[in-house]
Amino acid sequence: MSDIRATLRAQAIETPSWAYGNSGTRFKVFAQRGVPRDPYEKLADAAQVHAFTGVAPTVALHIPWDRVDDYADLARHASEVGVRIGAINSNVFQDDDYRLGSVTNPDPAVRRKALDHLLACVDVMDATGSDTLKLWFSDGTNYPGQDDIRSRQDRLAEALSAVYGRLGEGQRFLLEYKLFEPAFYVTDVPDWGTAYAHCLRLGDKAQVVVDTGHHAPGTNIEFIVAFLLREGKLGGFDFNSRFYADDDLMVGAADPFQLFRIMYEVIRGGALSGRHGGPEQGVAFMLDQCHNIEPKIPGQIRSVMNIQEATAKALRVDADALAAAQAEGDVLAANAVLMDAYNTDVRPLLAELRQEMGLDPDPMAAYARSGYFEKIAAERVGGTQAGWGA
Ligand code: PSV
Ligand code: MN
C-alpha cells in the first residue's frame, strides 16, 4: 500500500493551455467569465490545478495560440506561479494556405511554410526548456483522386525527417494520429500504425502519442498502448473522452472503465513514472480537452482526479493472483482480479494521500472555496479572451 501511495504521489499529469480559453463546436463558442486573455493568464490558471491536485506540474503550449514575444520570459512566469512548460504543440491547420494540406500539400511553397513553423516550434522548445514537440497534422483529402496518397506519404516523411534532424539533445517529437476530421476521405496520419511506421524509420527521438478521442468506436485502445509500450514507441497520451467522434470531453467521464484498462497497461508496461527529462523522457500524460459548457479550471481538476482514480485502481490489481489465474487458464478468476481492482473505491485513499501532501482532501471543494474564480472574473475585464485561434 505504501508503494501505491508513493507512486500516486509521483504521478505527473500535464494540462493544456487551450483548456483554459473559450472553446466550442463549429456551431457556437460560448464565452465564460474570467477566461484568460493571454498565455500568462492561462499559466496562472493551470497553476491552480496543480496547487489543488499536487500532480499537474506542467502545461502544454499551442503555437501560435500561445505566441509571445519572449518565450524565456513566459517560462520564467510559469516557474513563478509554480508550474513548468511541457510539450509544445505545433499548429499547421489554421491558415488559408493549408486548404490542401500542410507538410503534404502538393505546393512546395506551402510545405516549406509548414516546415518552417515546425522548426520554429523547436526554437520555442529551446527557449522554454521544453523537451517534447507534439505534431498533429490535419492533412488529408476529401475526394478520391484529389491527390496521390503515396506522394503525400513521401512528403510527410520528408518533413518529419527535417524536424527530426533539428531536434537537440534531450528533445523528442511525438507524432499524433487521428482517424478523420477535417479530412473526410484520406487522412495522412489516420492511425497508430502509420504514426509508428514513420517514427520507427526515424529513430528513438520519434514516438507516437495516443489521443484517446482519435479512434473509431469500439477500438481497443489498451491494446495499442500495450503494443507501443512493448516497442518503446509510446511517447505520451492526449487524454480526453468521446461518445461519438473527437468530442474532447473530460477524460474518464464517458468510459472510466476504459481509462482503467489503459492505465493498467501503462503500469504493466512499467511506464507510469512519466516524464523525467533527458533523452528518456518516458510517457507524457497530457490532457487535450476543451470545456465548452462547464467551468474550465474545475473541469481540469476533475479530469486530473479521474486519471488519479483510474491509476489508483489499476495499481490495486493483484499482479501475482492475476498471473496465477492466467497461467492456469482460469478465465473467470483472472477477470475477477481485474474487476475487483476496478470496483474498489479508491477515493478515501486519494483523500488521505492529498492530506499527506499538505493538500485539501477534496480539490473541487477547496478550489470553489478559494475565491480564485471570483477574483479572475472581477479582474479579467476588457481585452480579448483567449479562444481557438488566439
Ligand atoms: C487534434 O484534434 C488535436 O487532438 C491535436 O492534439 C491538436 O493540437 C489539438 O487537438 C488541439 O485541440
Ligand atoms: Mn490531441
Side-chain angles (χ1 to χ4, degrees), residues 233-279:
K233 279 292 181 196
L234 182 68
F237 288 96
D238 265 3
F239 279 123
N240 50 57
S241 44
R242 72 189 288 285
F243 286 105
Y244 298 101
D246 189 19
D247 304 346
D248 281 344
L249 296 172
M250 292 189 297
V251 62
D255 190 348
F257 184 41
Q258 179 190 61
L259 183 58
F260 161 81
R261 299 190 312 260
I262 290 171
M263 292 315 297
Y264 172 72
E265 289 306 330
V266 167
I267 292 162
R268 172 72 182 83
L272 194 59
S273 60
R275 63 168 72 240
H276 45 79

Side-chain angles (χ1 to χ4, degrees), residues 13-49:
I13 298 159
E14 182 161 310
T15 76
S17 68
W18 53 101
Y20 304 100
N22 284 326
S23 62
T25 64
R26 64 201 167 97
F27 301 103
K28 171 70 180 165
V29 172
F30 296 102
Q32 293 189 18
R33 288 198 303 145
V35 158
R37 280 100 29 107
D38 58 40
Y40 287 81
E41 291 181 347
K42 291 181 194 173
L43 289 172
D45 288 3
Q48 292 294 304
V49 178

Side-chain angles (χ1 to χ4, degrees), residues 18 62 65 89-90 93 134 136 176 178 211 214 238 246 248 288:
W18 53 101
H62 210 295
W65 298 344
N89 287 248
S90 58
F93 52 85
K134 179 134 60 72
W136 174 67
E176 182 170 352
K178 176 168 166 171
D211 184 312
H214 289 185
D238 265 3
D246 189 19
D248 281 344
D288 177 8

Side-chain angles (χ1 to χ4, degrees), residues 172 207-210 224-225 228-229 232-237 266 282-283:
R172 64 170 168 178
Q207 292 178 301
V208 181
V209 55
V210 174
I224 299 170
V225 170
L228 290 175
L229 273 175
K233 279 292 181 196
L234 182 68
F237 288 96
V266 167
V283 173

